[in-house]
Amino acid sequence: MRKICVIGIGAGDPDHLTLQAAKAIGRTNVFFLLDKGETKQSLIDLRERIIRAYSHPHKRIIEGRDPDRDRNPADYTGTVADWRHRRSLVLEELITENLKDDQTGSILVWGDPSLYDSTIAILEEILARGAIEFEFEVIPGISSVSALAAKHRIGLNRVGQPVQITTGRRLAEGWPDGADDVVVMLDAQQAFTKHPEAEIYWGAYVGTPDELLAAGPVSEVGDEIVKTRTEARERHGWIMDTYLLRRRTD
């Protein structure tokens, strides 16, 4: 039977790759990459660097076009569901046409596949349709959240206290109940600016040569982060950033 490995490759530093991930890459016959366009070619380039470093000489790399989606939709949930469906159709076709029954295919996922990534859900959708059969394995990676905390030399939670991971869209609706430490991902609207009383530990492109870091009270560093983030996005055409907001409890 076909086998698919969903491999977490870390936040951007090739040294984040775990030994388990390196071994999985080494036994892979076919790698599936979804191209997000010229502005994100650097993401493809890093994946190919990792593949060249750890794969065997006879592997194949198959690229497909990642479907476009509206980044600011009125119906966020419905738009994401539609995009995942279209993405599943692209990936199903790639697997069907390029992976033999006794081979292993791999998908390299930024960070960790279990945290704000759609690959697992997409593979489940493909299997549910029943047109092809395969088994799949998930190999964890170092998430951008873990990499951010390491770069700032902080713990994500305080003693005996919870930490919540959420999105900028949810933070814009208000600070989550029951948590004074909040990790925020996918924040296009820079919702941290609504919380000047909090401490922020921010990072973009963490683990890459383009890494950007900032920390301090939002009231003091928030405007500079907004400026830095805007300039970086214009320069690269995309941005991957995350941050920890920490509310004072004394």
Side-chain angles (χ1 to χ4, degrees), residues 50-109:
I50 290 172
I51 290 169
R52 286 195 301 270
Y54 296 101
S55 64
H56 60 74
H58 305 296
K59 87 300 187 168
R60 290 187 297 143
I61 299 175
I62 304 297
E63 292 190 24
R65 179 64 180 176
D66 199 11
D68 295 327
R69 72 177 175 94
D70 185 356
R71 296 290 171 175
N72 296 289
D75 177 12
Y76 179 79
T77 303
T79 299
V80 171
D82 174 69
W83 170 73
R84 284 186 175 183
H85 173 67
R86 289 183 289 118
R87 206 178 203 212
S88 77
L89 296 175
V90 172
L91 192 53
E92 181 176 342
E93 183 177 356
L94 294 179
I95 295 171
T96 301
E97 293 182 354
N98 296 283
L99 193 66
K100 297 178 181 177
D101 284 343
D102 59 345
Q103 291 185 326
T104 296
S106 287
I107 303 166
L108 306 187
V109 172

Side-chain angles (χ1 to χ4, degrees), residues 191-220:
F192 60 84
T193 58
K194 296 184 177 182
H195 302 281
E197 77 289 351
E199 294 274 336
I200 187 170
Y201 299 86
W202 175 83
Y205 315 107
V206 176
T208 76
D210 299 309
E211 178 178 279
L212 299 167
L213 298 171
V218 173
S219 59
E220 296 178 11

Side-chain angles (χ1 to χ4, degrees), residues 85-245:
H85 173 67
R86 289 183 289 118
R87 206 178 203 212
S88 77
L89 296 175
V90 172
L91 192 53
E92 181 176 342
E93 183 177 356
L94 294 179
I95 295 171
T96 301
E97 293 182 354
N98 296 283
L99 193 66
K100 297 178 181 177
D101 284 343
D102 59 345
Q103 291 185 326
T104 296
S106 287
I107 303 166
L108 306 187
V109 172
W110 289 108
D112 183 88
S114 68
L115 186 60
Y116 285 106
D117 182 79
S118 62
T119 306
I120 295 173
I122 286 171
L123 292 178
E124 294 282 11
E125 181 175 334
I126 294 171
L127 288 172
R129 281 198 290 269
I132 59 172
E133 291 185 356
F134 56 82
E135 38 184 51
F136 73 91
E137 175 185 5
V138 178
I139 295 171
I142 295 174
S143 72
S144 62
V145 176
S146 297
L148 175 79
K151 288 292 182 177
H152 283 291
R153 296 178 297 176
I154 57 172
L156 291 173
N157 66 293
R158 286 174 279 190
V159 176
Q161 299 300 313
V163 59
Q164 181 165 328
I165 300 176
T166 188
T167 65
R169 182 180 298 273
R170 298 298 297 271
L171 182 66
E173 298 170 357
W175 193 285
D177 293 334
D180 292 312
D181 299 286
V182 181
V183 174
V184 183
M185 306 178 74
L186 308 173
D187 186 10
Q189 58 267 67
Q190 300 163 126
F192 60 84
T193 58
K194 296 184 177 182
H195 302 281
E197 77 289 351
E199 294 274 336
I200 187 170
Y201 299 86
W202 175 83
Y205 315 107
V206 176
T208 76
D210 299 309
E211 178 178 279
L212 299 167
L213 298 171
V218 173
S219 59
E220 296 178 11
V221 302
D223 289 345
E224 186 61 31
I225 291 174
V226 170
K227 181 175 180 288
T228 299
R229 190 183 189 282
T230 300
E231 291 174 349
R233 186 179 181 85
E234 290 175 353
R235 186 164 59 251
H236 295 283
W238 59 278
I239 190 166
M240 287 196 301
D241 64 336
T242 188
Y243 57 86
L244 169 69
L245 276 187

